Amino acid sequence: MLQACLNGARTPREHHHLPVHPEQLATAAAACTAAGATELHLHPKHPDGTDSLDPHILAATLLAVRAATPGTPIGITTGAWTAPDPRDRITAIRSWTVLPDHASVNWHEDGADDIAAALLDRGIAVEAGLHSGTDGPDRFRTAPTRDRVLRVLAEVTDPTTRGAATTADTLLDHIGPARSPVLLHGSGAGAWPVLTLAAHRGLDTRIGLEDTLQLPDGDIAPDNAALVTTASRILTSR
């Protein structure tokens, strides 16, 4: 499975084609699914590019993207930067009128268990975000919801070409045998060696402007679809 991560916590200052508004996300999503992505992950945003869990912003975003990519599962973030107090994120989740198919929860962040429970109570599947270099895998091992997640999102934070694959191996060893499917992905220049490792291991993976702005040769990607097209070629060649 190849997931397209369309924007992340970035702002348009970082890339001229970073999608922010619902119509921009819808256009990017359609191009990515045409290029081979089978799932989507996005961050609903205020007009200035900052992330939001506001029910009105979420609803407008999901309705636009679903109209452009009918039947494609859509996930969003619940990262701490969207609202530092976990209670505020839980309140937001309970106020949503249009629901995503799934949402990522970072287990190294405080309140992860409660946020995951709030999502599951609303019928929203959970991606368990386990970051390299954190205690997320240890916290998740004893989480009350660990057997109810959609997948483990193994996130390699080493952005280097040389070190990312080794960091990924270490992270997967730290996570250990997973009861749920694992999606492995990297960041920065490390996104491509980690994607290749995921292909070799038969794991799900993702690519998009959230994770990297660069193509494998180091050039800046023109948009999300170019990243997905390149990733699809790598995955189908394995």
Side-chain angles (χ1 to χ4, degrees):
M1 185 272 284
L2 177 60
Q3 185 183 87
C5 50
L6 301 180
N7 52 6
R10 299 184 188 274
T11 70
R13 291 189 296 273
E14 296 177 70
H15 193 282
H16 61 293
H17 276 165
L18 187 87
V20 171
H21 305 295
E23 62 274 14
Q24 294 171 336
L25 285 160
T27 298
C32 286
T33 56
T38 53
E39 280 201 13
L40 301 166
H41 173 83
L42 55 86
H43 292 202
K45 291 180 178 289
H46 293 287
D48 65 358
T50 56
D51 289 0
S52 174
L53 298 181
D54 177 87
H56 303 293
I57 292 174
L58 176 60
T61 299
L62 291 177
L63 290 172
V65 175
R66 283 190 173 131
T69 59
T72 303
I74 303 170
I76 68 166
T77 185
T78 62
W81 59 88
T82 60
D85 190 329
R87 293 171 295 185
D88 291 336
R89 278 173 276 157
I90 291 169
T91 297
I93 290 165
R94 290 172 177 164
S95 73
W96 292 344
T97 56
V98 179
L99 304 182
D101 297 285
H102 51 80
S104 60
V105 178
N106 296 326
W107 242 269
H108 64 280
E109 297 174 352
D110 291 340
D113 290 334
D114 293 335
I115 291 168
L119 290 167
L120 291 168
D121 284 347
R122 298 223 59 194
I124 302 167
V126 172
E127 291 183 313
L130 308 183
H131 291 225
S132 62
T134 73
D135 63 354
D138 297 321
R139 290 190 183 193
F140 181 68
R141 200 168 287 118
T142 59
T145 57
R146 67 187 180 279
D147 294 327
R148 299 174 60 197
V149 301
L150 173 67
R151 65 174 61 97
V152 167
L153 192 60
E155 308 201 31
V156 180
T157 56
D158 183 341
T160 66
T161 302
R162 291 187 176 183
T166 299
T167 303
D169 281 328
T170 300
L171 174 61
L172 292 172
D173 288 343
H174 191 186
I175 293 171
R179 297 181 175 94
S180 305
V182 174
L183 187 158
L184 176 68
H185 75 99
S187 60
W192 295 107
V194 172
L195 184 141
T196 301
L197 176 63
H200 280 305
R201 289 200 174 208
L203 301 175
D204 295 335
T205 192
R206 77 179 202 185
I207 202 70
L209 291 175
E210 171 171 355
D211 287 348
T212 186
L213 305 179
Q214 299 172 278
L215 293 165
D217 62 5
D219 287 347
I220 298 299
D223 53 26
N224 277 293
L227 294 169
V228 172
T229 298
T230 303
S232 296
R233 289 173 181 161
I234 292 172
L235 294 174
T236 56
S237 69
R238 300 295 166 184

